[in-house]
Amino acid sequence: MNTLELKNILIEEINQIEDKSFLNALRTIIESKIKKENLYEEYNSEILMAEEDIEKNHTISHDDVKNKINEWKKK
């Protein structure tokens, strides 16, 4: 059984369920899976952008950041 066949079977079975609380539980599971996948994609995208910044030397040293913070504290 391939993924498409499994999806179709699940859709047919879900269409037969009348229990609202069970359907809400399924919805929560599905939304959680989607959010997790989106977070993973976003995380990977941010890693790639950070690597590009490093390659382009668009970085700030730790000491420079500490100095900036100290300047802000004086204001």
Side-chain angles (χ1 to χ4, degrees):
M1 174 182 323
N2 65 33
T3 303
L4 183 58
E5 291 170 333
L6 181 56
K7 284 181 182 181
N8 287 331
I9 290 169
L10 289 170
I11 289 167
E12 288 176 25
E13 291 176 351
I14 290 170
N15 281 330
Q16 296 175 22
I17 297 171
E18 298 297 328
D19 183 346
K20 185 175 181 178
S21 63
F22 184 79
L23 291 169
N24 279 324
L26 282 175
R27 182 178 184 189
T28 299
I29 292 169
I30 291 167
E31 287 175 349
S32 174
K33 175 68 173 162
I34 291 169
K35 285 179 186 176
K36 189 179 287 185
E37 288 175 355
N38 288 341
L39 286 175
Y40 182 74
E41 288 175 15
E42 184 179 332
Y43 173 79
N44 283 336
S45 174
E46 289 178 5
I47 293 290
L48 289 173
M49 289 187 325
E51 288 174 342
E52 288 175 11
D53 282 342
I54 291 168
E55 287 175 10
K56 295 175 182 176
N57 203 27
H58 295 165
T59 60
I60 301 173
S61 73
H62 181 68
D63 287 335
D64 287 343
V65 172
K66 286 179 9 182
N67 290 336
K68 285 253 189 226
I69 291 170
N70 288 331
E71 288 176 23
W72 293 334
K73 286 180 181 179
K74 291 177 186 176
K75 292 182 180 182

